[in-house]
Amino acid sequence: QVQLVESGGGLVQAGDSLRLSCAASGLTFSRYAVGWFRQAPGKERESVSGIGTGGIAYYADSMKGRATISRDNAKNTVYLQMNSLKPEDTAVYYCAARFLVFRTPPVPNDYNYWGQGTQVTVSS
């Protein structure tokens, strides 16, 4: 019974920051790569960030300079710190996991386990 649970979303103003969390259970967390994806209404799901088992990180061009991904294997948790948020960041943010392999950019179809998502809304 693998579970991924996102938290930390909310309503913020442009320029504000959020830290999203992805808490995992039911798997050996340190052996899984984790990706963050987002989906806005009417748009395809897109990769935002990702982190491999060794800590290598990926950021979408839209996130570079504004986001930091990290993982705490002892807490079975991955974090995504997002700064200088923009209205175009508004979306449901999902975390997802796959066993060992990490390729960039993360591809949604590669990921086996998904959370329910957390809503991020950025007002202007």
Side-chain angles (χ1 to χ4, degrees):
Q1 297 82 43
V2 174
Q3 281 193 292
L4 301 175
V5 180
E6 302 94 337
S7 62
L11 174 63
V12 298
Q13 293 183 318
D16 286 350
S17 298
L18 283 173
R19 188 182 72 159
L20 306 183
S21 298
C22 174
S25 61
L27 76 174
T28 305
F29 186 68
S30 63
R31 300 175 71 86
Y32 284 78
V34 177
W36 283 97
F37 304 84
R38 69 186 182 190
Q39 189 163 26
K43 295 185 178 180
E44 294 186 16
R45 188 166 298 188
E46 64 175 349
S47 177
V48 177
S49 185
I51 189 165
T53 58
I56 56 173
Y58 164 84
Y59 303 98
D61 287 343
S62 62
M63 288 287 108
K64 289 179 179 177
R66 300 193 295 127
T68 302
I69 191 169
S70 60
R71 66 189 300 160
D72 186 340
N73 289 334
K75 295 182 177 180
N76 287 358
T77 302
V78 165
Y79 305 96
L80 182 65
Q81 176 72 38
M82 299 190 292
N83 304 319
S84 301
L85 286 163
K86 307 172 182 179
E88 51 262 46
D89 294 320
T90 296
V92 177
Y93 284 70
Y94 301 89
C95 68
R98 68 176 295 186
F99 185 63
L100 291 179
V101 178
F102 183 60
R103 64 167 171 159
T104 57
V107 177
N109 193 56
D110 289 344
Y111 286 75
N112 308 101
Y113 305 109
W114 290 80
Q116 292 290 95
T118 185
Q119 177 71 48
V120 171
T121 302
V122 184
S123 64
S124 60

